[in-house]
Amino acid sequence: MSGLMSSLSLAARALDAQRSGLAVTGENIANLNTEGYVRRSIQLAEGQPGAGGVDVLGTRARRDVMLDARIRQELPSESRERAIAGSLGIVEAALGREGESLDARLVRFFDAFSSLAQDASSTVARDGVVQQGRLLAQSFNDIASRLDDARRGADAQIRGGVADLSRLAAQVASLNQAISATLSGDAEGLRDQQAEALKAMADLADITVLRRGDGGVDVTLGEGRAIVMGANAYALTAVDTPPTGFAAVELGGVDITNEIGRGQLSGWVDVRDTMLPGYASQLDAIAFEVVNEVNALHQGGTDLLGATGNNFFAPVGGSAGAATVMALTAAVEADSQRVAASQSGAPGDNQVAKAIAALRDARVVGGTATFADSWSQLVYRVGSDSQTAQAQQKSRQQVVEQVTILRDQVSGVSLDEEAALMMRFQRAYEANARYFSAVDDMLATLMRIVGAG
Amino acid sequence: MRVTFQTVNDGIAAVNTAAEQFAKAQRQVETGRRMENPSDDPAAAMRVIQGTNEIATLDAYTRANDTASSRLTVLDTVLGTIVDRLSQAQAAAAQGRGTTADTPTREALAAKLAGIRDGLVSDFNATFRGTALFAGAEVQATAYARVAGVWTYQGDASEVTVDIGRNHGATISLDGQSIAKGGDALDVFTAFDGMITAVVAADEAGMAAGMDALRRTFDRAVRAQSLVGVDMQGVDDEQRNLSSFKLANLQSVSKDRDANLAAAITEMNQADTAYRAALQAVGATAKVSLLDYL
């Protein structure tokens, strides 16, 4: 009798075990589309000697810490290039299409002087020169402004990235606390969230993660600067720096902007502080040379009113910012008769107009390049930087994808596998139920015999 | 290897890639341009800028050529007329020499010479599109006018040239005085006046001096016309060069900038096929499940 009762107990525990297995499978299927979810499996063990049957030891997350770490290691390089490629895509658009942007404006400007040279006394040709000069200056202004906008855009992204990184650091610290508090319980859900938060942090910057004995993690950034220590998070701040007002990334009052080597933050910083200033400087150099070269020739000429020594463009102090401030002089803007086309002062003399028109072929930028060459070099530089970033991003993305596939092979949920497990647990439950029923029948038979006796 | 549900996401990424390729090829077909951004081919973008700039420069020279050509044609015609008038004047003056001509004949010859002189003045004061042809850079001035009874040149000594190519110019406005006077003490109009007086007065020496002046002016006009002819020839040669240079540059730019439509359409079809295949693959992957068989 006691044997049958223990068999009943064994069958009941077995039913519980199979039901638990089915519940784990259900949980896996439920989280099929949950980002960062690591599949769970039930751990069953043979029952204790004497009790027999099956015991549920618990559930285990199929987590591969090495692969998670590898993803965090590869991701910052990919995200850095992604950030650069994204920002430079906007810069490429800002430069306009080849043959339809500043190069076309330069062409039309020198064409206007060429037309003036064909009839130096023509007021229509003079108006054309003023109009094209104004449009050329506006074109320089527009592109300089777009480059500045792109810098401000990158700065805004840096500020957003810093805020996200601080928020994620606080989240990881909070999870650390929760994980250490539930060390004996089921903390796998919290660990999933922890892994996702760390991945998001690695997307922003090249963090270093150190595992703690209590299941938590410490996170450092740059030259080993802690941003998470157990339950404590140290917030990063974006601090305005003069004279540009752009944000420097500070941690505990220390500027760590240049310590961030990889991740989106590093890409945005590179775009804002290195690439875009370089492009703007090249644009300024072209504008500066246009202003100087045209003015030098124009000053040597005589306008229709007999005045000499006047500028065509408003003089600029230096190359820095020349594209931003480039403009016609007020006198030329107001009266096209102020355009000096003549050397001698005779209305038909076109020496100066011809000389300015010939500047289109002059190698005056850096002493080696024409204005068009210099512009094409700037376009090449932006295109080449963007292409390199895109190529690097694709190549690094493939590495991240490969590691992610490896991780998914271990941690991902397979619907077919879960379906098979579901069937397994269902059948096992049915078999155990039959066993329970058989033992119950035997007990009933025994009870009838005992009752009849 | 375990195949996880992530396979569906990978399939969706493949669908996106194929759709992206399709869109790119479609944009090439729509716009006819190979490159959308400089990053598609930075070196080609640089070459296109340099090529289009060169084409624009050649176009500017072509326009200058057209203007110069029209102006040179007019100059050539006017100089031809000047040469003809000077020949007529020489012939008329020759009739006045010797003792055979009576007074009415001399007066008639004088009137004829005055008419030729006036025509010549008109030739030297010719304009093209409102600007003088023989006043040097003083294109808005009348080249010759009688001021206080004296023939006065109101232009200047410079000649206006336009660039019709790199290092190649054409003169579009001449120094009228260098033709009408040259190195002489008097200009041709004053010489005409003196000769008219000499014809009426049967002044052989005066007529001879006047004819010498006409001959020298004739020579200078012929020389000026031949220089205009050289410029016209130069314009023709330059136009041919510009045309062939432009064609070569257009071909080069087109190679870098324009889409190969046949290739783009083929790519579009391939991308379309890949897109459909990727869609079917995703559909099949998502559809087939062990759950359907349990």
Side-chain angles (χ1 to χ4, degrees):
Chain A
M1 182 88 169
S2 66
L4 282 175
M5 292 306 283
S6 66
S7 292
L8 264 185
S9 171
L10 181 150
R13 277 189 287 115
L15 284 171
D16 273 348
Q18 304 315 320
R19 191 174 45 75
S20 296
L22 203 59
V24 169
T25 301
E27 194 181 345
N28 284 341
I29 293 171
N31 285 289
L32 205 58
N33 290 315
T34 305
E35 194 70 33
Y37 177 78
V38 174
R39 78 179 169 109
R40 314 283 201 265
S41 61
I42 192 163
Q43 286 184 292
L44 301 175
E46 190 181 346
Q48 296 295 317
V54 62
D55 282 338
V56 177
L57 299 179
T59 56
R60 188 163 76 91
R62 296 287 178 173
R63 198 181 308 282
D64 190 321
V65 179
M66 289 288 285
L67 287 171
D68 282 347
R70 188 71 201 279
I71 289 173
R72 284 197 303 271
Q73 201 179 346
E74 296 294 343
L75 193 58
S77 298
E78 189 267 339
S79 54
R80 174 189 146 81
E81 301 301 336
R82 179 163 22 95
I84 293 174
S87 296
L88 292 189
I90 297 166
V91 177
E92 283 189 84
L95 293 185
R97 276 192 162 167
E98 65 282 353
E100 297 172 8
S101 181
L102 185 68
D103 47 345
R105 284 277 163 237
L106 283 164
V107 161
R108 286 181 199 136
F109 174 68
F110 292 120
D111 277 357
F113 269 103
S114 179
S115 296
L116 181 60
Q118 288 162 46
D119 186 357
S121 62
S122 162
T123 50
V124 174
R126 280 170 181 278
D127 289 346
V129 163
V130 172
Q131 169 81 350
Q132 292 303 331
R134 187 188 304 126
L135 290 173
L136 178 65
Q138 281 172 1
S139 196
F140 270 109
N141 300 159
D142 286 348
I143 294 170
S145 160
R146 283 186 221 134
L147 290 179
D148 191 51
D149 286 348
R151 274 188 91 184
R152 297 199 177 282
D155 185 63
Q157 283 177 311
I158 290 167
R159 287 170 193 272
V162 167
D164 283 349
L165 203 53
S166 293
R167 179 182 52 76
L168 288 164
Q171 187 187 347
V172 170
S174 165
L175 286 166
N176 280 347
Q177 196 172 21
I179 288 168
S180 76
T182 55
L183 192 58
S184 54
D186 182 9
E188 294 302 346
L190 297 173
R191 287 204 178 90
D192 285 353
Q193 290 177 41
Q194 184 192 58
E196 273 305 286
L198 290 172
K199 190 178 159 193
M201 288 175 87
D203 192 45
L204 288 165
D206 53 342
I207 54 166
T208 305
V209 177
L210 299 166
R211 294 257 155 220
R212 295 167 66 94
D214 61 1
V217 288
D218 292 338
V219 183
T220 62
L221 181 67
E223 295 170 0
R225 297 182 191 279
I227 52 173
V228 178
M229 289 287 278
N232 299 313
Y234 303 98
L236 291 136
T237 48
V239 179
D240 293 354
T241 51
T244 57
F246 289 142
V249 183
E250 285 194 4
L251 180 63
V254 179
D255 185 347
I256 61 159
T257 312
N258 296 324
E259 289 182 25
I260 304 168
R262 297 183 301 152
Q264 289 195 83
L265 271 177
S266 140
W268 292 324
V269 166
D270 223 14
V271 167
R272 184 194 68 181
D273 295 346
T274 309
M275 292 177 158
L276 285 169
Y279 305 150
S281 165
Q282 205 167 336
L283 182 73
D284 283 340
I286 303 172
F288 183 66
E289 292 298 344
V290 169
V291 169
N292 276 0
E293 293 294 328
V294 171
N295 280 350
L297 292 167
H298 197 266
Q299 281 172 1
T302 307
D303 65 26
L304 268 187
L305 303 175
T308 58
N310 292 322
N311 287 317
F312 183 81
F313 290 112
V316 288
S319 176
T324 307
V325 299
M326 187 175 173
L328 296 180
T329 59
V332 168
E333 182 75 70
D335 185 359
S336 65
Q337 292 185 96
R338 290 292 185 186
V339 175
S342 160
Q343 193 85 54
S344 64
D349 180 12
N350 62 359
Q351 293 298 314
V352 172
K354 274 201 304 184
I356 293 176
L359 278 177
R360 73 165 91 216
D361 284 333
R363 299 196 174 276
V364 289
V365 185
T368 54
T370 65
F371 298 121
D373 286 345
S374 195
W375 170 252
S376 71
Q377 283 161 10
L378 173 57
V379 171
Y380 175 82
R381 188 174 159 192
V382 174
S384 179
D385 285 349
S386 179
Q387 190 187 46
T388 304
Q390 286 172 29
Q392 294 268 22
Q393 190 257 331
K394 269 184 191 163
S395 126
R396 293 184 189 282
Q397 188 183 23
Q398 282 173 358
V399 175
V400 172
E401 279 172 4
Q402 286 302 315
V403 180
T404 305
I405 287 169
L406 287 175
R407 175 193 171 277
D408 283 342
Q409 282 178 19
V410 177
S411 306
V413 177
S414 161
L415 203 52
D416 289 344
E417 193 176 69
E418 297 305 327
L421 282 170
M422 200 163 68
M423 193 180 70
R424 242 171 76 183
F425 289 122
Q426 191 183 354
R427 294 290 181 224
Y429 189 90
E430 284 172 9
N432 279 298
R434 278 174 188 267
Y435 173 66
F436 186 93
S437 175
V439 173
D440 188 45
D441 285 350
M442 286 166 71
L443 263 175
T445 304
L446 194 59
M447 293 299 283
R448 274 199 304 277
I449 294 167
V450 172
Chain B
M1 180 181 135
R2 295 177 65 252
V3 177
T4 67
F5 197 65
Q6 184 62 28
T7 317
V8 174
N9 290 341
D10 295 343
I12 291 167
V15 170
N16 284 335
T17 304
E20 201 178 308
Q21 284 168 350
F22 181 84
K24 189 177 178 184
Q26 190 187 24
R27 279 196 295 273
Q28 284 192 359
V29 173
E30 279 171 6
T31 62
R33 296 177 73 116
R34 190 171 69 86
M35 289 178 291
E36 205 172 340
N37 289 308
S39 57
D40 292 338
D41 189 344
M46 187 168 80
R47 287 195 299 271
V48 167
I49 290 172
Q50 290 169 344
T52 49
N53 184 64
E54 179 63 14
I55 290 166
T57 304
L58 296 172
D59 283 343
Y61 285 134
T62 303
R63 285 193 294 275
N65 262 272
D66 293 341
T67 305
S69 178
S70 311
R71 212 169 160 95
L72 287 170
T73 303
V74 176
L75 269 175
D76 184 50
T77 306
V78 175
L79 282 168
T81 309
I82 288 171
V83 167
D84 289 347
R85 288 193 204 279
L86 289 169
S87 298
Q88 289 167 20
Q90 282 174 310
Q95 286 175 35
R97 297 189 72 178
T99 55
T100 53
D102 55 11
T103 302
T105 305
R106 288 179 185 283
E107 283 173 355
L109 285 171
K112 186 176 181 183
L113 283 170
I116 293 170
R117 180 202 59 203
D118 292 346
L120 207 56
V121 171
S122 172
D123 291 339
F124 272 89
N125 289 339
T127 60
F128 178 73
R129 291 179 186 162
T131 59
L133 293 170
F134 295 98
E138 294 289 349
V139 292
Q140 289 170 333
T142 303
Y144 273 96
R146 200 192 283 272
V147 179
V150 179
W151 288 107
T152 308
Y153 179 60
Q154 302 184 121
D156 64 16
S158 57
E159 289 183 335
V160 178
T161 61
V162 290
D163 292 335
I164 55 170
R166 290 192 172 97
N167 308 315
H168 196 170
T171 305
I172 56 167
S173 178
L174 301 176
D175 168 16
Q177 196 174 35
S178 69
I179 302 169
K181 186 180 174 195
D184 293 347
L186 300 170
D187 59 58
V188 70
F189 309 109
T190 310
F192 255 98
D193 291 346
M195 196 164 64
I196 290 165
T197 307
V199 167
V200 173
D203 173 5
E204 280 295 325
M207 280 189 280
M211 285 185 70
D212 280 349
L214 289 187
R215 183 180 44 74
R216 287 193 295 276
T217 306
F218 178 89
D219 290 345
R220 289 193 295 270
V222 168
R223 191 163 55 248
Q225 193 181 18
S226 69
L227 288 175
V228 167
V230 169
D231 274 351
M232 289 174 79
Q233 182 63 45
V235 166
D236 288 344
D237 292 345
E238 198 62 38
Q239 272 178 334
R240 273 194 296 277
N241 288 340
L242 289 171
S243 188
S244 61
F245 292 162
K246 184 177 175 180
L247 188 63
N249 274 286
L250 278 172
Q251 283 171 343
S252 167
V253 167
S254 172
K255 204 169 150 187
D256 282 323
R257 186 180 58 191
D258 298 339
N260 177 340
L261 284 181
I265 290 167
T266 307
E267 275 171 31
M268 210 167 84
N269 289 335
Q270 285 173 344
D272 182 44
T273 307
Y275 178 71
R276 288 170 195 281
L279 275 180
Q280 283 185 359
V282 171
T285 308
K287 208 160 38 180
V288 178
S289 170
L290 185 58
L291 288 168
D292 297 333
Y293 300 93
L294 297 177

